[in-house]
């Protein structure tokens, strides 16, 4: 029942905000485990979130399929996002557990603070000249994919600010586009997890029967949550949910940081 509720929350967030849901699912799978086991939680989280994000992407895609320029923008970003997410997921699997946990905590904390204080647009504007000077060859889509793949999230926390600030997309349209880009990121990370299992004969990820049931419950709750999130998004502003979500992320960041150090 707890797994269904966690999946439900992830699905609601995916349906309303266009994010992948990894910020909810990965900590749930990692709860009570050592820092060294976080890479397995990240990989399993990507697999669990994939069906949820797939349904969310289908729902959001319908919102801008009739807009050629917006559709073309997303299409040109899909492949770089997927490839960079797959590579980032591989790097995450090779990182020491404490390093990955600390990295997770820092990223989640930065997202929480930027969301609570609304500094993401201003920060992104300041970083744009730095990126042009030092990383002119790196497409922004690769940064979005890598940011999602390394922690088992969809990258929506990067996609929405980029699309609104740098590409001038309205917020509601950026959320729709972010959901589709999150599917590309989660797909890339899931492919990496599958390859790890095949190459290492299952040693990379040991999945027990209870864990399989947990994944199934997460997916079930998430699929229902996407439909609820879509219905709520059509009627209510997402401001309050965003606030609650960012407070949750801030607490999660503090917990993961302690987990990495202690």
């Amino acid at each position: 029942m707890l797994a269904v509720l966690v999946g439900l929350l992830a699905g609601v967030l995916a349906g309303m905000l266009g994010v992948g849901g990894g910020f909810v699912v990965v900590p749930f799978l990692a709860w009570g485990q050592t820092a060294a086991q976080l890479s397995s939680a990240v990989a399993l989280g990507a697999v669990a979130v994939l069906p949820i994000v797939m349904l969310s992407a289908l729902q959001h895609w319908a919102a801008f399929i009739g807009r050629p320029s917006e559709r073309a923008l997303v299409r040109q970003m899909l492949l770089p996002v997927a490839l960079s997410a797959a590579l980032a997921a591989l790097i995450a699997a090779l990182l020491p557990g404490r390093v990955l946990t600390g990295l997770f905590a820092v990223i989640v904390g930065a997202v929480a603070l930027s969301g609570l204080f609304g500094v993401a647009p201003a920060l992104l504007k300041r970083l744009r000249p730095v990126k042009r000077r030092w990383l002119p060859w790196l497409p922004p889509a690769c940064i979005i994919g890598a940011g999602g793949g390394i922690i088992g999230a969809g990258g929506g926390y990067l996609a929405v600010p980029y699309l609104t600030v740098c590409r001038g997309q309205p917020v509601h349209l950026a959320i729709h586009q972010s959901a589709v880009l999150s599917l590309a990121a989660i797909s890339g990370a899931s492919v990496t997890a599958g390859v790890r299992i095949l190459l290492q004969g299952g040693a990379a990820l040991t999945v027990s029967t209870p864990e399989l049931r947990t994944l199934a419950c997460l997916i079930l709750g998430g699929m229902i949550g996407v439909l609820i999130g879509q219905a709520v998004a059509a009627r209510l502003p997402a401001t309050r949910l965003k606030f609650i979500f960012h407070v949750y992320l801030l607490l999660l960041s503090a917990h993961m940081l302690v987990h990495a150090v202690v």
Side-chain angles (χ1 to χ4, degrees):
M1 181 58 69
L2 181 59
V4 172
L5 293 176
V6 170
L8 188 70
L9 176 59
V12 169
L13 291 171
M16 286 195 68
L17 307 179
V19 298
F23 284 149
V24 178
V25 172
V26 172
F28 172 71
L29 293 173
W31 192 267
Q33 298 187 21
T34 64
Q37 295 172 305
L38 182 62
S39 63
S40 293
V42 168
L44 289 175
V47 174
V49 168
L50 180 58
I52 301 171
V53 178
M54 189 177 298
L55 178 59
S56 173
L58 288 173
Q59 298 283 334
H60 284 282
W61 175 258
F64 66 93
I65 192 173
R67 307 177 67 146
S69 59
E70 287 81 0
R71 188 175 67 243
L73 172 61
V74 171
R75 280 181 172 171
Q76 71 184 19
M77 294 176 66
L78 286 177
L79 185 58
V81 166
L83 293 178
S84 57
L87 179 60
L90 178 61
I91 294 173
L94 300 176
L95 290 176
R98 290 187 182 276
V99 174
L100 182 58
T101 305
L103 181 62
F104 189 102
V106 170
I107 292 175
V108 172
V111 173
L113 292 174
S114 66
L116 287 173
F117 296 101
V119 299
L123 181 61
L124 193 55
K125 288 179 180 178
R126 289 178 177 271
L127 291 176
R128 287 176 71 183
V130 176
K131 192 266 179 190
R132 288 197 191 102
R133 180 174 181 181
W134 298 105
L135 298 169
W137 47 269
L138 185 64
C142 291
I143 300 176
I144 293 171
I150 200 164
I151 57 174
Y157 68 96
L158 295 174
V160 172
Y162 167 74
L163 290 169
T164 53
V165 175
C166 300
R167 304 309 291 259
Q169 303 292 308
V171 175
H172 68 280
L173 186 57
I175 288 175
H176 295 318
Q177 295 168 312
S178 171
V180 179
L181 294 175
S182 293
L183 174 59
I186 292 297
S187 297
S190 297
V191 168
T192 297
V195 171
R196 285 174 58 199
I197 294 174
L198 292 175
L199 293 181
Q200 301 188 24
L205 292 171
T206 303
V207 185
S208 62
T209 301
E211 287 174 325
L212 289 175
R213 286 199 295 265
T214 299
L215 291 178
C217 291
L218 285 169
I219 293 170
L220 174 63
M223 302 287 270
I224 298 172
V226 168
L227 300 178
I228 294 175
Q230 285 282 310
V232 172
R235 294 171 174 80
L236 297 176
T239 307
R240 180 167 296 182
L241 179 61
K242 285 183 179 180
F243 175 78
I244 296 172
F245 180 51
H246 286 117
V247 170
Y248 157 77
L249 290 183
L250 194 61
L251 296 174
L252 171 63
S253 173
H255 169 75
M256 297 300 284
L257 195 59
V258 171
H259 198 48
V261 175
V262 176

